[in-house]
Amino acid sequence: MKIGIDLGGTTMSAGIVDENNRIIDRNQIDTNSSESPEKLIQRMANLVNELIEKADIKNITHIGIGCPGMLDRQNGIVLYSNNIGWENIHLIDAMKKYFHIPVYLENDANCAALGEYIAGAGKKYSSMVMVTLGTGIGGGIIIDDTLYRGKNGNSSILGHLMMADNGELCTCGRKGCWEAYGSVSALIRMANEKADEYPDSELEKQRKSSGRLDGRNIFDAIHNGDKAANEVFVKYISNVAQGIVDIVNILDPEGIVIGGGISKQGEFILEPIRKIVKENIYCKSMELPKITASGLGNNAGIIGAACLDHFV
Ligand SMILES: [Zn+2]
């Protein structure tokens, strides 16, 4: 038995994972990053201890933690994490004060990719790329059954591929990144612009009744056949697909796994994405990678973190 922790900016979740890489129990709490790192780590340890006690398990072999931001993985240090507001936090050392077993640290997007590769939509593939569409676009790359990390462990920053020269301002400070066109935040921005343009649209009605547009009510308007929402959908899907074209051109993986809340739309988004990728990849005659939705949803990060002992 092993423990996987997915430390996010809003919630942190932990799960006990068995030898078949299934979660047997999980729990989550608010991250509450305004607290001191010591306090937050203490609550993380409590979360794990509660799970272990509840399941009455004694043979926990190790703990894996997925964390957003820049890491010094070998030394277990979170160098900088914008989402949690951490700088130079010795996370592994701090956790080892509570647990006398090995603790592993890895980027959260890499953990999600590992989870899908080990137990989810990517488990048939030896090379796959996970693309998570959320507030930003996260990515993880598995090549020849190995997590690709690059020299400093900072590879796979897929969201910041260049999509338009001098385009939309990205959160990274650069203009025109894929994330500024293909993330859910971008979808919401585009839908708001469209709602301004078409005051009689369902998009505008959804915005008025809900107070704001989000992924859910935008897709409601799309499914209800709203013309303005459909225009947003067509453009957004094209934005997502064009980034995937670049990934396929560079890596030619066996599978692309799309994660994040909107991956629940399944074939409704996958079918048009596949069509655009097929039409735009460089080697038109080659077999397309399988483009599928995440099989594990929010659990991918926990399972991937729990399996970090295999990817040291
Ligand atoms: Zn960027």
Side-chain angles (χ1 to χ4, degrees):
M1 297 284 181
K2 47 207 178 184
I3 300 283
I5 299 173
D6 187 0
L7 174 58
T10 319
T11 57
M12 68 168 127
S13 39
I16 301 179
V17 177
D18 71 10
E19 50 278 9
N20 297 314
N21 301 315
R22 282 182 303 221
I23 294 184
I24 58 167
D25 199 6
R26 61 163 283 166
N27 204 354
Q28 69 181 51
I29 53 174
D30 288 345
T31 302
N32 193 9
S33 55
S34 58
E35 255 180 15
S36 70
E38 294 74 25
K39 258 279 178 56
L40 202 156
I41 294 164
Q42 188 185 36
R43 287 194 298 113
M44 185 190 286
N46 290 345
L47 182 71
V48 171
N49 272 326
E50 280 164 22
L51 268 178
I52 295 173
E53 275 164 36
K54 192 170 145 227
D56 194 21
I57 287 169
K58 293 187 175 57
N59 59 336
I60 298 290
T61 53
H62 62 270
I63 296 171
I65 305 171
C67 176
M70 274 179 282
L71 313 171
D72 173 351
R73 198 170 54 84
Q74 261 83 22
N75 296 306
I77 303 167
V78 180
L79 297 172
Y80 177 70
S81 180
N82 180 39
N83 307 44
I84 320 171
W86 278 6
E87 227 179 304
N88 268 322
I89 302 300
H90 291 242
L91 180 56
I92 289 187
D93 283 350
M95 281 296 276
K96 281 194 165 172
K97 288 184 187 140
Y98 298 94
F99 302 97
H100 305 289
I101 49 177
V103 181
Y104 303 96
L105 178 65
E106 181 57 76
N107 173 275
D108 60 341
N110 281 345
C111 287
L114 279 178
E116 292 292 342
Y117 162 73
I118 291 162
K123 67 179 173 186
K124 291 194 204 117
Y125 312 132
S126 62
S127 357
M128 60 150 268
V129 179
M130 171 108 190
V131 174
T132 302
L133 307 173
T135 314
I137 295 182
I141 300 173
I142 313 282
I143 297 178
D144 298 335
D145 298 301
T146 308
L147 176 67
Y148 182 74
R149 291 183 169 107
K151 179 171 171 281
N152 298 294
N154 292 323
S155 69
S156 316
I157 313 289
L158 303 180
H160 304 273
L161 287 169
M162 176 58 69
M163 182 148 276
D165 184 32
N166 206 24
E168 292 288 338
L169 181 64
C170 181
T171 52
C172 73
R174 198 172 171 218
K175 283 181 177 175
C177 294
W178 185 28
E179 182 168 296
Y181 294 86
S183 64
V184 176
S185 314
L187 171 71
I188 294 168
R189 184 194 70 237
M190 291 159 66
N192 273 308
E193 287 165 5
K194 212 44 120 177
D196 292 341
E197 200 182 323
Y198 294 97
D200 296 330
S201 65
E202 192 186 325
L203 270 184
E204 176 58 13
K205 280 177 205 140
Q206 290 277 10
R207 181 164 70 175
K208 270 203 181 120
S209 65
S210 312
R212 67 188 180 99
L213 288 171
D214 56 26
R216 203 161 289 159
N217 55 25
I218 293 168
F219 270 95
D220 284 347
I222 295 165
H223 287 297
N224 290 339
D226 182 52
K227 191 170 161 284
N230 192 57
E231 284 176 19
V232 172
F233 178 72
V234 170
K235 185 71 192 117
Y236 176 71
I237 289 296
S238 169
N239 293 347
V240 171
Q242 293 297 351
I244 293 175
V245 168
D246 287 352
I247 295 169
V248 175
N249 281 342
I250 296 166
L251 294 170
D252 182 16
E254 287 175 83
I256 300 272
V257 177
I258 298 179
I262 71 164
S263 68
K264 293 194 189 107
Q265 297 289 331
E267 287 303 310
F268 187 70
I269 63 164
L270 295 173
E271 224 182 275
I273 289 174
R274 286 187 200 115
K275 185 167 175 280
I276 297 167
V277 173
K278 195 174 172 55
E279 286 166 0
N280 288 278
I281 54 170
Y282 184 77
C283 299
K284 304 250 183 320
S285 60
M286 81 174 192
E287 192 187 343
L288 270 196
K290 299 278 182 290
I291 301 177
T292 54
S294 153
L296 300 171
N298 290 335
N299 289 332
I302 292 176
I303 295 175
C307 296
L308 285 173
D309 58 320
H310 291 293
F311 299 90
V312 179

